[in-house]
Amino acid sequence: MDHENGSGTENGNGTHNGDVNGTGNGHGNGATDALPPPPPEIPPNVVPLRAEPEQPKKKRLPVARRGLASKGQKIQLLSNHFKVNVTKLDGHFFHYSVNLMYEDGRAVDGKGVGRKVIDKVHSTYDTELAGKDFAYDGEKSLFTVGPLPQNKLEFTVILDEVTSSRNNGNASPDNDNDGDRKRMRRPYNSKTFKVELSFAAKIPMQAIGDAIRGQETENSQEALRVLDIILRQHASKQGCLLVRQSFFHNDPKNFTDVGGGVLGCRGFHSSFRGTQGGLSLNIDVSTTMIIQPGPVVDFLIANQNARDPYSIDWAKAKRTLKNLRIKTTTSNQEWKITGLSDLPCKEQMFSLKTGRNDAGEIETVEVTVYDYFVNNRGIDLRYSGDLPCINVGKPRCPTFFPLELCSLVSLQRYTKALSNLQRASLVEKSRQKPKERMDTLSHALRTSNYDAEPMLRTCGISISNQFAAIEGRVLNAPKLKVGNGEDFFPRNGRWNFNNKKLVEPTKIEKWAVVNFSARCDIRSLVRDLIKCGQMKGIMIEPPFDVFEENLQVRRAPPLVRVEKMFEQIQEKLPGAPQFLLCLLPERKNCDVYGPWKKKNLADYGIVTQCMAPIRVNDQYLTNCLLKINAKLGGLNSMLAVEQNPSIPLVSKVPTLLLGMDVSHGSPGRSDVPSIAAVVSSRKWPLISRYRACVRTQGSKVEMIDNLFKRVSDTEDQGIIREVLLDFYTSSGKRKPEQIIIFRDGVSESQFNQVLNIELDQIIEACKFLDEKWNPKFAVIVAQKNHHTKFFQPGSPDNVPPGTVIDNRVCHPRNYDFYMCAHAGMIGTTRPTHYHVLLDEIGFSPDDLQELVHSLSYVYQRSTTAISVVAPICYAHLAATQVGQWMKFEDTSETSSSQGGVTAEGAIPVPQLPRLEEKVASSMFFC
């Protein structure tokens, strides 16, 4: 065979370009010079060593439960888990992959059409399918109980309702003729579908039994997924909107307006879970955001808070409306919005086909969209003439409708981030008291009619409609210490500082007030603050000065306003102040907040407290003083077991507590880095004092990747080194022998990464400091984003603070428990679900639950027990506050804000400025 690069060329026979004297090219030009030296001779008495294969590193798995705890007063509770009885475990689920195509072989990419096609296959080919029922996930997977007659099946179905009567030229939708029909071979007009079902896998139903026993195999997870798909399909057939494991009915009673043309839509979450009590169905109330259905113009006016249709920003409207579905008053057809017309309805022309001439050529006449609808269709248009038209066609073949004929279809998700006002409105309107939530769930289960679902019947599955009965325990609140050696016990998860002094108050001597145009009587505010501080034991000297913002600067960009304010401060103050009180004109979303904090903490190392003096009373000032005291190094209250060190296992040996959290940008923003925060305890044996280390990382990356960051043989710039050195210097030059890690924000599928990636980095950081150092670890994940709730039977109240549950609805094998440490004042209490992934320290279940409970009482910002341990709360605060700094960095205006994951390295992650040394170990996040 003749090669272009034949054996006579320099690199034709497999040698590299660089091998000028390459061997094997058939010419022998200097080939002998390039031969390698011969291998050394092996003496005859050498016994070859057997090469040991490198042992793969053993993966850590979550630990098994160590028995149940017993401390606390017993309490009977109900939970929103409903028992599932399974009578057939001897069969198999068969998994088939689904391939949907149009008749010309193009893949079907439109969402929603898959279910219609598969339903049609099911009804049309019942005998060929041996009468089997399907569980279809709406995309590529379909499941049956028992096999279909063949491993590969092909079907053709015709769907009438997918066709569109629309005309795809520039003509009107109803002007139908032959020329247009020829152009109708477009995805949404295709009537004929080809469906291929190919056998993919076989899942024994016995795997459901494995899930109940806590043996998590691939099969057991897949078997529960099949059951979840059956319920999703059941909801889909009732016309519900499906969002992951939740479904939402099209019932206006479930809608609540949160402003901006956005509605909160109440629905239900459902998932099958293996628990200690067997298989259960967890059902909970769920809320998603939808676009306000009805006239498009009403939505736009609400969305933009416009006075009338003529004051709408159409460039913004075009972005908002793209891809939303509408119906028109002229037909029952559904369309997807592709854009808006460039010209108003009265000026936008299109070619209207009038018929054929004698030569058989199509004749057209140019008319405006307005004239066509008014004169040809006889439709009275009241206000659309001067507004853009809605376009539902393609770029080259637009199809226009006047705005007032278009209405948005119901149940279309709104996926952008909510404003603070919208979020507050949603929370207020969607909260339910425990009794109301129980009634809603009972009604949902009764009306869901799961008993009629044929797939569940085939699996021999029945679902109880009784809430699971559970025995919980209520732990006693820990004793707290305040000033003057006083003890006190919180009641119902709350306490106050009336007539009490703080346990370690600070002195505020060199300070000043900065006012960013907030309207208030500063003199009386300062007087009240000093008086309130005195009562709490904080000695506050009068401020050095009050710096008022210059009127000309008020309208300047936030960074400029902050710079100008600092110029004033530097001019007038003799030296750096210990503290600055900053008055802001609004409580939430003040755009000066981020740059102000950054300037103080990163550039100058000044502690600062912001306040919006809108409704100032004694309680408000006390809350501010609690934060100021903590930031300046004081302590407001502490646990009695800290002062007289007697926390089991923690007080005996130097123990470091870590709280870790990652905060992500708004949904759909892939150009905003995620922010990782690690909060660490200091001054052991205390567990009330913390510092924070905050870094940026890749957008939407959940695993913290800066824990260990080796930059040379002697240098590690990671978070953990910083944490360990601070613990060592603040705890009497002692290294932590035990490290307890509280991790927030990870799902069960990420537990192995926490145990094998993050923990490995932490161990590496320890070894990098001292090779012989082997601290013991405990790793505990806290989850708030779950759907298990608890109720007191026959009581309208939430469960009492300190309630803990580790039986019946917990994992059958793994070590987890639910805790409601706080008093749920509004809505239904959301328990925190703690998962103990590792415990080398050897806590008893009682001691660990007591420690977690106590850590809800050391939060310095409030006088209430909080719902999750303080280190995690602080990590969340630190990430959020430092995230405010990022908002004002120069990020490219042109960077894409479309959803999706950026390619690795596509957008360099901007690094955060480090905290100035004077505040680096402070509780600046309080």
Side-chain angles (χ1 to χ4, degrees):
M1 186 173 169
D2 229 23
H3 282 277
E4 232 179 303
N5 222 11
S7 59
T9 61
E10 206 163 55
N11 61 349
N13 218 15
T15 62
H16 294 289
N17 275 322
D19 299 341
V20 179
N21 288 337
T23 59
N25 60 3
H27 287 241
N29 52 344
T32 49
D33 297 348
L35 284 173
E41 281 192 29
I42 299 167
N45 58 348
V46 168
V47 181
L49 290 171
R50 184 178 177 141
E52 288 295 327
E54 199 176 311
Q55 290 298 315
K57 198 167 158 228
K58 203 171 174 199
K59 265 183 79 172
R60 299 183 193 91
L61 293 170
V63 295
R65 189 181 298 285
R66 287 200 179 139
L68 301 175
S70 57
K71 273 189 182 172
Q73 190 180 341
K74 290 185 169 50
I75 182 172
Q76 298 307 311
L77 301 170
L78 297 174
S79 177
N80 58 340
H81 282 244
F82 300 86
K83 188 161 176 56
V84 177
N85 287 312
V86 188
T87 54
K88 291 181 190 168
L89 284 179
D90 48 357
H92 285 83
F93 290 121
F94 280 71
H95 177 191
Y96 295 87
S97 61
V98 178
N99 188 14
L100 299 181
M101 292 170 292
Y102 297 108
E103 60 181 323
D104 60 6
R106 281 171 306 120
V108 174
D109 52 2
K111 283 208 164 186
V113 73
R115 287 190 189 275
K116 290 178 183 169
V117 173
I118 293 296
D119 284 348
K120 187 78 172 179
V121 167
H122 189 253
S123 58
T124 312
Y125 296 98
D126 190 47
T127 46
E128 289 83 342
L129 296 164
K132 291 275 180 213
D133 287 309
F134 291 164
Y136 175 51
D137 73 349
E139 292 180 17
K140 298 280 182 194
S141 293
L142 181 146
F143 299 88
T144 58
V145 177
L148 293 174
Q150 286 159 288
N151 277 352
K152 185 157 187 179
L153 291 158
E154 292 186 9
F155 303 102
T156 304
V157 289
I158 296 169
L159 273 194
D160 299 328
E161 67 270 28
V162 177
T163 61
S164 162
S165 63
R166 79 192 88 176
N167 170 303
N168 292 311
N170 287 336
S172 76
D174 283 14
N175 188 26
D176 197 15
N177 58 37
D178 293 345
D180 300 322
R181 282 205 194 96
K182 286 176 186 157
R183 287 202 295 252
M184 284 176 64
R185 296 288 290 266
R186 303 247 309 269
Y188 42 67
N189 293 324
S190 297
K191 300 190 265 194
T192 307
F193 294 85
K194 286 184 187 168
V195 183
E196 285 178 3
L197 302 181
S198 316
F199 172 74
K202 186 170 153 182
I203 305 150
M205 290 167 77
Q206 190 60 50
I208 296 171
D210 296 343
I212 297 168
R213 287 187 293 279
Q215 297 163 353
E216 284 179 5
T217 61
E218 207 172 306
N219 272 342
S220 70
Q221 288 167 340
E222 199 67 357
L224 292 190
R225 180 175 157 240
V226 176
L227 298 184
D228 284 331
I229 287 169
I230 294 171
L231 293 201
R232 277 172 61 80
Q233 177 176 275
H234 184 78
S236 170
K237 285 180 177 168
Q238 296 172 352
C240 291
L241 163 68
L242 304 179
V243 183
R244 292 183 292 278
Q245 296 283 90
S246 298
F247 50 91
F248 303 88
H249 289 274
N250 187 13
D251 180 353
K253 287 205 297 287
N254 297 333
F255 302 163
T256 175
D257 189 351
V258 298
V262 181
L263 308 182
C265 176
R266 181 179 290 167
F268 299 96
H269 162 93
S270 73
S271 61
F272 286 95
R273 302 187 73 82
T275 66
Q276 294 139 308
L279 188 64
S280 73
L281 179 64
N282 176 208
I283 299 184
D284 193 20
V285 175
S286 178
T287 304
T288 194
M289 309 317 298
I290 62 169
I291 298 280
Q292 171 187 309
V296 172
V297 70
D298 292 354
F299 163 70
L300 289 176
I301 287 171
N303 183 251
Q304 297 189 12
N305 198 16
R307 285 192 317 279
D308 52 47
Y310 306 104
S311 37
I312 287 170
D313 173 344
W314 292 105
K316 189 177 172 190
K318 186 175 180 177
R319 291 195 301 272
T320 310
L321 292 176
K322 193 168 170 59
N323 293 331
L324 292 180
R325 299 189 320 278
I326 56 163
K327 277 191 172 177
T328 62
T329 51
T330 57
S331 74
N332 200 29
Q333 176 69 44
E334 234 181 67
W335 318 77
K336 186 183 274 188
I337 298 176
T338 52
L340 298 175
S341 62
D342 296 330
L343 298 170
C345 189
K346 279 182 175 166
E347 296 169 34
Q348 182 65 53
M349 309 291 285
F350 73 93
S351 304
L352 176 65
K353 298 176 182 71
T354 54
R356 292 178 186 273
N357 61 17
D358 297 341
E361 294 161 340
I362 293 172
E363 291 187 331
T364 62
V365 57
E366 291 292 307
V367 295
T368 65
V369 176
Y370 183 86
D371 286 343
Y372 168 75
F373 277 94
V374 171
N375 301 328
N376 293 40
R377 303 290 299 278
I379 295 169
D380 181 28
L381 296 179
R382 288 175 300 116
Y383 59 83
S384 298
D386 299 318
L387 304 176
C389 304
I390 297 281
N391 181 10
V392 295
K394 288 283 170 79
R396 289 187 186 170
C397 316
T399 302
F400 295 121
F401 283 108
L403 191 69
E404 68 191 82
L405 302 185
C406 303
S407 281
L408 289 160
V409 173
S410 193
L411 293 186
Q412 297 191 73
R413 283 186 75 202
Y414 178 81
T415 52
K416 295 184 179 68
L418 295 181
S419 68
N420 278 5
L421 275 173
Q422 287 174 320
R423 188 175 288 113
S425 172
L426 176 68
V427 168
E428 189 186 330
K429 290 176 178 176
S430 60
R431 63 170 67 114
Q432 289 179 300
K433 285 282 186 197
K435 180 82 176 67
E436 190 188 344
R437 187 174 283 248
M438 283 183 80
D439 291 344
T440 306
L441 294 176
S442 296
H443 181 257
L445 203 57
R446 278 199 308 275
T447 54
S448 61
N449 201 14
Y450 287 140
D451 291 345
E453 172 54 52
M455 279 291 284
L456 289 181
R457 280 217 302 272
T458 311
C459 303
I461 283 178
S462 60
I463 300 165
S464 160
N465 56 9
Q466 299 296 313
F467 285 77
I470 306 164
E471 186 173 83
R473 290 167 293 110
V474 182
L475 302 179
N476 290 329
K479 183 164 67 172
L480 298 182
K481 284 273 182 194
V482 286
N484 299 336
E486 249 187 278
D487 293 353
F488 69 98
F489 286 96
R491 294 184 54 188
N492 197 29
R494 307 175 78 79
W495 62 99
N496 61 54
F497 281 104
N498 296 348
N499 309 318
K500 296 183 186 73
K501 299 234 181 318
L502 306 183
V503 69
E504 284 181 28
T506 50
K507 266 188 181 170
I508 304 175
E509 291 164 330
K510 289 157 61 183
W511 71 289
V513 181
V514 167
N515 183 19
F516 282 101
S517 306
R519 290 181 188 168
C520 75
D521 178 350
I522 295 178
R523 187 176 291 172
S524 61
L525 174 69
V526 168
R527 187 191 61 229
D528 292 346
L529 189 72
I530 291 172
K531 186 175 154 201
C532 189
Q534 207 172 359
M535 290 165 69
K536 307 290 175 272
I538 303 174
M539 301 318 294
I540 307 175
E541 297 289 325
F544 180 85
D545 207 341
V546 174
F547 297 97
E548 293 279 1
E549 185 171 42
N550 192 319
L551 286 177
Q552 284 84 47
V553 181
R554 192 184 296 185
R555 304 238 179 278
L559 287 168
V560 175
R561 293 173 71 185
V562 169
E563 284 292 342
K564 293 287 183 199
M565 186 62 85
F566 260 92
E567 282 171 18
Q568 270 198 69
I569 295 169
Q570 282 169 314
E571 259 173 50
K572 294 190 182 173
L573 284 187
Q578 177 195 7
F579 168 69
L580 287 174
L581 180 68
C582 172
L583 307 181
L584 297 175
E586 57 259 4
R587 195 163 278 189
K588 295 270 189 228
N589 273 4
C590 184
D591 55 7
V592 174
Y593 179 85
W596 171 256
K597 286 284 183 186
K598 178 171 177 270
K599 196 81 177 160
N600 278 274
L601 297 171
D603 297 357
Y604 292 100
I606 299 170
V607 170
T608 171
Q609 175 62 46
C610 294
M611 65 192 288
I614 296 161
R615 284 190 300 274
V616 177
N617 54 26
D618 191 51
Q619 183 63 58
Y620 183 77
L621 290 175
T622 301
N623 288 347
C624 282
L625 283 164
L626 293 180
K627 295 166 74 166
I628 293 166
N629 191 53
K631 287 174 183 180
L632 288 169
L635 261 186
N636 303 328
S637 61
M638 65 197 298
L639 300 168
V641 287
E642 280 181 278
Q643 203 174 48
N644 158 34
S646 54
I647 305 166
L649 299 181
V650 173
S651 298
K652 287 192 177 71
V653 177
T655 303
L656 168 67
L657 274 68
L658 299 179
M660 305 191 343
D661 185 31
V662 178
S663 157
H664 304 293
S666 307
R669 286 294 299 271
S670 57
D671 56 335
V672 177
S674 292
I675 295 176
V678 176
V679 160
S680 56
S681 62
R682 51 202 315 269
K683 297 194 177 178
W684 176 84
L686 294 183
I687 59 169
S688 287
R689 284 188 184 280
Y690 294 86
R691 74 188 296 276
C693 186
V694 186
R695 306 276 173 93
T696 47
Q697 57 184 39
S699 178
K700 307 289 185 280
V701 175
E702 185 52 62
M703 289 300 120
I704 301 177
D705 62 7
N706 275 318
L707 295 170
F708 176 64
K709 193 177 181 183
R710 182 178 182 156
V711 288
S712 73
D713 287 351
T714 55
E715 197 183 353
D716 161 24
Q717 290 180 355
I719 294 172
I720 296 301
R721 179 189 176 89
E722 191 180 312
V723 159
L724 294 172
L725 293 176
D726 176 80
F727 182 90
Y728 182 75
T729 52
S730 71
S731 304
K733 301 219 173 337
R734 277 183 288 232
K735 290 181 199 159
E737 291 177 36
Q738 298 173 158
I739 300 177
I740 303 171
I741 300 162
F742 288 99
R743 180 67 161 92
D744 187 29
V746 289
S747 62
E748 280 150 60
S749 62
Q750 296 166 316
F751 286 178
N752 284 336
Q753 288 171 279
V754 171
L755 272 179
N756 295 289
I757 297 174
E758 289 188 341
L759 182 56
D760 273 357
Q761 281 191 60
I762 294 170
I763 291 169
E764 273 187 87
C766 295
K767 294 284 186 195
F768 199 78
L769 279 169
D770 179 354
E771 186 59 45
K772 298 191 183 74
W773 180 26
N774 291 306
K776 291 178 178 174
F777 287 92
V779 180
I780 301 160
V781 169
Q783 288 178 336
K784 292 292 295 280
N785 202 7
H786 60 84
H787 288 275
T788 297
K789 300 285 190 298
F790 298 104
F791 308 93
Q792 292 196 68
S795 166
D797 298 330
N798 270 308
V799 296
T803 299
V804 62
I805 294 100
D806 59 5
N807 67 85
R808 186 80 169 74
V809 292
C810 291
H811 195 279
R813 173 201 170 271
N814 295 354
Y815 189 176
D816 66 332
F817 58 91
Y818 292 92
M819 185 174 285
C820 305
H822 65 301
M825 305 310 286
I826 41 183
T828 304
T829 297
R830 177 181 294 198
T832 300
H833 192 182
Y834 291 100
H835 301 260
V836 184
L837 304 188
L838 178 70
D839 178 15
E840 298 172 340
I841 296 168
F843 285 101
S844 71
D846 275 316
D847 287 347
L848 188 64
Q849 288 174 17
E850 284 278 12
L851 174 64
V852 168
H853 186 225
S854 296
L855 283 169
S856 297
Y857 281 82
V858 300
Y859 188 60
Q860 297 298 306
R861 279 166 51 116
S862 74
T863 53
T864 59
I866 53 173
S867 63
V868 68
V869 289
I872 280 181
C873 235
Y874 288 147
H876 191 67
L877 286 173
T880 305
Q881 184 176 130
V882 176
Q884 300 272 349
W885 300 4
M886 300 291 298
K887 281 186 188 174
F888 297 92
E889 299 302 315
D890 294 328
T891 51
S892 163
E893 281 297 308
T894 55
S895 62
S896 161
S897 63
Q898 298 309 308
V901 179
T902 50
E904 201 168 327
I907 295 174
V909 177
Q911 293 305 303
L912 286 169
R914 294 295 167 89
L915 291 166
E916 210 275 339
E917 205 175 324
K918 294 195 287 292
V919 291
S921 293
S922 74
M923 290 177 71
F924 71 89
F925 42 79
C926 256

